[in-house]
């Protein structure tokens, strides 16, 4: 199958199971208008995050990599009354766009946007006792995936889920020609960390769709 077919299938899924959503569509339009890279999760992926958060009754969510807040909206909508989401974003411009998108979606009070390098912010969250988080979604610079996973684990509890996006990268994780690719290096380091960590049970799933050939890892924090 071609990438065109993958796109058509994603569009079919979105049409049949998601439908029009003014707030999410507005967020994507605002991201594009601000010149943000079009690297948000797809609508079916966003809804999957939403359903996973709802399925475990998540009340506290950590997101590493807000971009313009598209995935943040999906996750924040899964929170019950009194729930809280902390999202980390490196770029102030991106954080400003995300804040505006969240405000339009009526979710600003549920979300705490922290701006700066995530590896600086994550220790501060630990010092603040901001956790434990019931779900963590990691979608930031890929070279640091293993480091972000380690911090997400520290900020989790037994029964938490840790989800890491973009771990297949067009097969780069097993392509010798891409051995020096930073994203592939980060993905392989993540797989090594997951395999060596007895406190989690993990798997990874390959995906195809409007975002191409990629995949995500899911780790369950053992009791």
């Amino acid at each position: 199958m071609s990438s065109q077919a993958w796109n058509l299938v994603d569009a079919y899924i979105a049409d049949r199971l998601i439908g029009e959503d003014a707030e999410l569509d507005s967020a994507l339009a605002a991201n594009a208008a601000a010149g943000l890279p079009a690297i948000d999760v797809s609508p079916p992926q966003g809804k999957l995050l939403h359903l996973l958060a709802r399925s475990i009754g998540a009340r506290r969510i950590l997101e590493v990599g807000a971009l313009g807040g598209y995935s943040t909206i999906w996750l924040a909508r899964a929170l019950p009354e009194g729930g809280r989401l902390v999202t980390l974003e490196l770029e102030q411009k991106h954080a400003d766009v995300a804040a505006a998108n969240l405000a339009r979606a009526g979710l600003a009070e549920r979300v705490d946007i922290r701006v700066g390098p995530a590896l600086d912010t994550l220790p501060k969250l630990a010092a603040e006792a901001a956790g434990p988080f019931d779900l963590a979604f990691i979608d930031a610079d890929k070279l640091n995936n293993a480091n972000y996973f380690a911090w997400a684990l520290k900020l989790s509890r037994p029964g938490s889920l840790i989800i890491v996006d973009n771990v297949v990268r067009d097969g780069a994780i097993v392509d010798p020609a891409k051995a020096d690719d930073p994203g592939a290096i980060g993905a392989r380091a993540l797989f090594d960390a997951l395999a060596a960590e007895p406190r989690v049970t993990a798997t990874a799933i390959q995906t195809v769709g409007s975002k191409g050939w990629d995949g995500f890892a899911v780790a369950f924090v053992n009791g």
Side-chain angles (χ1 to χ4, degrees):
M1 293 181 70
S2 67
S3 58
Q4 182 181 9
W6 301 344
N7 291 339
L8 289 172
V9 172
D10 255 10
Y12 177 84
I13 293 169
D15 177 65
R16 299 291 291 176
L17 301 180
I18 299 173
E20 294 185 5
D21 190 307
E23 293 163 354
L24 288 167
D25 292 344
S26 176
L28 290 178
N31 292 356
L36 272 59
I39 54 175
D40 308 275
V41 298
S42 69
Q45 291 168 340
K47 191 165 187 180
L48 176 61
L49 292 173
H50 173 86
L51 292 176
L52 288 171
R54 287 181 61 187
S55 72
I56 63 170
R59 297 186 60 85
R60 291 173 179 256
I61 296 175
L62 172 66
E63 180 181 48
V64 182
L67 193 60
Y70 182 77
S71 57
T72 319
I73 292 173
W74 275 113
L75 288 165
R77 284 178 172 180
L79 290 168
E81 190 69 29
R84 193 73 172 159
L85 187 154
V86 178
T87 186
L88 314 185
E89 174 52 48
L90 175 64
E91 302 289 345
Q92 184 65 59
K93 176 184 176 180
H94 297 177
D96 292 341
V97 175
N101 286 334
L102 289 161
R104 276 192 298 272
L107 297 167
E109 293 185 358
R110 296 187 188 183
V111 180
D112 178 8
I113 303 175
R114 305 287 184 99
V115 181
L119 292 178
D120 292 341
T121 307
L122 288 162
K124 295 176 184 177
L125 292 177
E128 295 169 13
F133 292 98
D134 307 303
L135 183 147
F137 176 53
I138 299 170
D139 188 12
D141 64 296
K142 309 311 171 186
L143 192 58
N144 277 307
N145 271 347
N147 293 324
Y148 296 145
F149 163 70
W151 274 106
L153 182 57
K154 289 179 183 178
L155 291 163
S156 295
R157 59 165 180 79
S160 292
L161 286 180
I162 301 172
I163 304 166
V164 188
D165 201 10
N166 307 125
V167 300
V168 174
R169 307 189 64 78
D170 290 319
I173 53 170
V174 294
D175 186 348
K178 297 183 179 179
D180 296 329
D181 176 76
I185 292 171
R188 289 192 292 268
L190 172 70
F191 276 100
D192 290 343
L194 291 170
E197 179 51 72
R199 290 173 291 175
V200 304
T201 302
T203 191
I205 299 294
Q206 298 185 75
T207 60
V208 296
S210 60
K211 299 300 178 181
W213 175 25
D214 213 322
F216 58 89
V218 180
F220 176 81
V221 181
N222 299 323

